[in-house]
Amino acid sequence: MDWMPLLSTLTGAVIGITATLIADRNRWRREETRHALEVRREVYTEFVSALKAAGEEIRAVALGDHMSESARDAAVREAFRSTGMYTASERLWLVGPPQVVAAGNEAFHSLRRIRDAYAQGVAVGSAEDAPLIAQRRTAMAQMRGLMREDLGIGPLGIE
């Protein structure tokens, strides 16, 4: 019996199956990478939006009239909690790369410093408020830049 045609057929089949498996594996990797990027984009958007919402909420509360300092403190803290900031922060910690998480954490803490200042009675737009706002802007710009870099988007150049 001549084994050459059988070996040729088997070799061709092995090559074809191997090529198909490699192509499927590469396609799966591309899809996983694309999905991970989309998840990070959603988490980044949620986190930045929560930071913005929390900032606006605590500012609005700080601008309002309050019967007492303890009422102001409670209102500012509740405004911060009600925006979903903590959930968004935890999601960032779960899916973000270390440099983005660190920058996000700094932006989060810069906003908490503002929250604490407003809770203690610092007036919006005061001399005490200005350096806190500047720190927050710097932290937000750094965080956004790292997020854009991670998503493969170039810098804005306007912050």
Side-chain angles (χ1 to χ4, degrees):
M1 176 172 192
D2 189 10
W3 292 96
M4 202 50 120
L6 180 60
L7 284 175
S8 295
T9 302
L10 285 174
T11 302
V14 167
I15 290 171
I17 291 170
T18 302
T20 300
L21 290 174
I22 290 171
D24 285 347
R25 175 81 172 149
N26 289 339
R27 188 176 314 112
W28 176 81
R29 281 184 183 164
R30 280 192 308 274
E31 288 172 8
E32 282 298 306
T33 300
R34 194 174 14 246
H35 177 69
L37 183 69
E38 186 57 36
V39 167
R40 285 195 317 277
R41 183 184 337 268
E42 289 172 16
V43 168
Y44 294 170
T45 301
E46 177 187 5
F47 184 72
V48 171
S49 297
L51 277 171
K52 293 291 264 185
E56 289 300 316
E57 289 293 321
I58 64 174
R59 185 175 190 279
V61 170
L63 287 169
D65 292 327
H66 301 283
M67 302 287 281
S68 68
E69 285 188 31
S70 62
R72 177 187 177 114
D73 183 293
V76 168
R77 292 179 188 287
E78 180 54 33
F80 189 85
R81 276 191 299 275
S82 69
T83 60
M85 187 70 252
Y86 292 108
T87 301
S89 177
E90 287 303 317
R91 288 191 74 202
L92 179 67
W93 277 77
L94 289 174
V95 302
Q99 66 275 15
V100 172
V101 171
N105 197 41
E106 179 54 34
F108 175 82
H109 285 284
S110 70
L111 184 58
R112 279 184 43 178
R113 286 188 289 274
I114 294 170
R115 178 205 65 189
D116 294 345
Y118 289 167
Q120 294 170 1
V122 170
V124 175
S126 69
E128 294 170 291
D129 187 31
L132 297 172
I133 297 298
Q135 287 174 355
R136 179 176 181 231
R137 285 187 180 136
T138 300
M140 292 287 289
Q142 175 71 18
M143 177 192 65
R144 282 190 200 107
L146 289 168
M147 286 175 171
R148 290 177 66 84
E149 182 181 317
D150 181 51
L151 296 172
I153 303 168
L156 284 175
I158 60 173
E159 289 186 320

